[in-house]
Amino acid sequence: MNVLVINAGSSSLKYQLMNPETGDVSAKGLCERIYIDGRLTHKVGDNKVVKDIPMPSHSEAIAAVLDILVDPVDGVIKSVDEIDAVGHRVLHGGMEFSDSCIIDDAVIAAIEKCIPLGPLHNPANLMGIRACQAVMPSTPQVAVFDTAFHMTMPPKAYRYAIPTEYYENDDIRRYGFHGTSHKYVARRTAELVGKKEFKMINCHLGNGSSLCAIKDGKCQDTTMGLSPLAGVPMGTRSGDIDACVVQFICNKYGMSVDDCLNMLNKKSGVLALSGVSSDFRDLEAGQAEGNENCVLALNKFFYEVAKYIGAYAAALNGVDVITFTAGVGENGPETRQGICDYLEFMGVKLDAEKNKCRGKEMLISAPDSKVQVWVVPTNEELMIAQDTAELVNAAK
Ligand code: AMP
């Protein structure tokens, strides 16, 4: 089976053509500068092709992707009919979606209804869906939501302690994000540890970071909230912050709430604390040169992630497995060690040699550690392809 996985942003569109059973990717690429001019970067194995193609909208971007997939030289299939289904990443499913689903008019209307909750991403995701429907009308399309995995949270985790009317009238609550990644790692970890019933805390640590408390494969709590701003400090996001900070800054500097939120989303996090970079490799280089601000940024990150692990161990009444995933989680031994140093009291002990691993599945805890610690590289595209295949096969 061939599934085309689409991740449409406001001016970009990433794609992968993959086999959901094997995880083999036959081609992948990126359309950039949609609405500006348009550039397609297409990769098959180690071969890379870059083409400037006018993309006045997402429709032309999708058309360019399909053209190159069937191109006699750069393509990997003979006809668009060889694409059995399309899986779309959709940011916000609100309270409407607790699982992936086959797209029809009602689903499109429900995604539209969630635009106020995901004002930047949902319109772009919809453009990607509509563009695919226009050029391949008979191919089934599936929506996979970043929020869906978290819909098993109990009310004590997802409700904010603010007047009920905002929940009842406006759907204001914790939703959480990175759900496709947390779901993939939860499933894969169950295979790796050989059981279904266990308590785990997954740490998705990348440019955006979130933790998820998972019991028997189901999300119990997660650090992001109504938006991805909440939780631990990130590359450029502040993470949790006293709401009065917003009031103070807006009043003192005559800043609008939108501008202040932009600052908290794009100019904060480890970038702000270090004054150097949002990239952990740069922070580690700065630390090695004795830059005190880089040391503070890294220590703040380790401390806040470890605090949430402690909180989630309490929320789950124990923890059997801690997993690290995403750019930093998979490739940052110093970060993993820095976080786990705080968890000695829980009997967490890393194997220093195994913790040197980067980007591959590995049990990195010592044999006498009370909690297993794993590196499990995430694969959101594969999760989207698998959900898509499952739904499309079930509907046959
Ligand atoms: P992601 O958002 O999951 O793509 O993660 C991106 C982040 O991963 C980058 O900003 C880096 O900070 C981090 N990263 C990637 N490779 C490494 C590495 N080898 N060592 C430390 N951090 C890394």
Side-chain angles (χ1 to χ4, degrees):
M1 189 175 194
N2 279 321
V3 175
L4 180 62
V5 176
I6 298 283
N7 183 356
S10 53
S11 66
S12 69
L13 185 148
K14 288 188 210 142
Y15 63 94
Q16 286 198 9
L17 186 66
M18 69 191 310
N19 178 327
E21 285 101 42
T22 60
D24 289 345
V25 177
S26 44
K28 64 178 175 181
L30 167 70
C31 298
E32 291 169 286
R33 299 176 61 85
I34 306 173
Y35 297 99
I36 304 167
D37 37 30
R39 170 166 294 178
L40 173 74
T41 306
H42 178 76
K43 285 187 197 158
V44 178
D46 292 335
N47 283 344
K48 182 165 120 179
V49 190
V50 181
K51 287 187 175 182
D52 288 329
I53 300 170
M55 296 176 189
S57 76
H58 283 75
S59 299
E60 290 77 12
I62 290 285
V65 170
L66 297 181
D67 280 350
I68 200 143
L69 286 173
V70 300
D71 187 272
V73 180
D74 300 315
V76 288
I77 49 176
K78 288 199 180 68
S79 144
V80 171
D81 296 340
E82 289 177 45
I83 299 173
D84 300 291
V86 184
H88 294 269
R89 180 180 185 204
V90 180
L91 180 84
H92 218 305
M95 290 204 274
E96 307 281 331
F97 297 103
S98 54
D99 215 336
S100 307
C101 61
I102 294 190
I103 297 172
D104 57 18
D105 289 348
V107 168
I108 289 192
I111 297 173
E112 263 172 351
K113 209 177 133 203
C114 297
I115 287 177
L117 297 169
L120 297 180
H121 292 84
N122 275 33
N125 302 149
L126 277 167
M127 282 189 272
I129 291 170
R130 290 200 169 107
C132 283
Q133 285 182 323
V135 289
M136 40 205 318
S138 53
T139 308
Q141 320 262 333
V142 168
V144 179
F145 300 92
D146 240 23
T147 48
F149 181 66
H150 302 301
M151 292 310 281
T152 49
M153 280 188 285
K156 65 185 176 188
Y158 71 69
R159 284 291 297 274
Y160 291 129
I162 61 173
T164 304
E165 65 215 58
Y166 299 111
Y167 170 67
E168 288 182 346
N169 300 339
D170 305 304
D171 298 346
I172 303 288
R173 50 163 279 177
R174 181 189 303 282
Y175 288 97
F177 297 88
H178 294 141
T180 312
S181 171
H182 289 300
K183 180 176 172 181
Y184 174 83
V185 176
R187 282 198 183 177
R188 184 69 194 129
T189 305
E191 287 169 5
L192 291 168
V193 302
K195 52 186 173 182
K196 285 194 170 142
E197 294 183 355
F198 63 101
K199 298 167 182 175
M200 70 176 268
I201 299 169
N202 184 38
C203 308
H204 176 114
L205 310 178
N207 191 36
S209 295
S210 70
L211 279 75
C212 189
I214 301 164
K215 182 164 184 282
D216 306 340
K218 292 200 164 64
C219 170
Q220 303 300 315
D221 206 345
T222 190
T223 53
M224 286 178 167
L226 175 76
S227 85
L229 180 59
V232 295
M234 308 177 209
T236 64
R237 295 190 191 115
S238 63
D240 295 338
I241 192 160
D242 181 344
C244 285
V245 171
V246 175
Q247 180 195 36
F248 186 99
I249 290 175
C250 288
N251 286 344
K252 176 150 189 200
Y253 296 101
M255 214 189 251
S256 68
V257 172
D258 281 3
D259 284 346
C260 191
L261 265 288
N262 192 47
M263 178 271 286
L264 294 175
N265 270 302
K266 303 213 170 118
K267 297 181 185 160
S268 300
V270 293
L271 168 68
L273 284 178
S274 68
V276 169
S277 172
S278 60
D279 192 300
F280 276 64
R281 287 164 287 200
D282 298 336
L283 301 182
E284 285 169 9
Q287 181 178 43
E289 288 162 10
N291 182 323
E292 294 285 323
N293 295 329
C294 289
V295 173
L296 172 65
L298 287 169
N299 282 341
K300 172 76 175 166
F301 184 76
F302 303 161
Y303 176 69
E304 296 294 343
V305 172
K307 263 168 61 179
Y308 263 114
I309 293 175
Y312 285 172
L316 293 169
N317 191 17
V319 56
D320 303 304
V321 184
I322 295 171
T323 41
F324 287 100
T325 197
V328 188
E330 292 166 25
N331 299 297
E334 294 83 358
T335 294
R336 296 190 296 252
Q337 186 67 59
I339 293 164
C340 290
D341 282 347
Y342 283 101
L343 307 175
E344 253 182 54
F345 79 99
M346 288 165 49
V348 171
K349 211 194 269 182
L350 290 187
D351 178 315
E353 259 323 290
K354 289 190 176 143
N355 185 40
K356 285 181 183 160
C357 79
R358 292 180 194 267
K360 59 178 179 193
E361 277 174 2
M362 179 81 81
L363 176 66
I364 58 167
S365 47
D368 58 342
S369 179
K370 288 204 178 118
V371 180
Q372 284 193 9
V373 185
W374 284 83
V375 173
V376 181
T378 193
N379 194 338
E380 291 168 89
E381 290 78 14
L382 180 57
M383 193 71 256
I384 293 172
Q386 286 177 347
D387 270 10
T388 302
E390 207 173 292
L391 284 165
V392 169
N393 286 332
K396 270 182 188 160

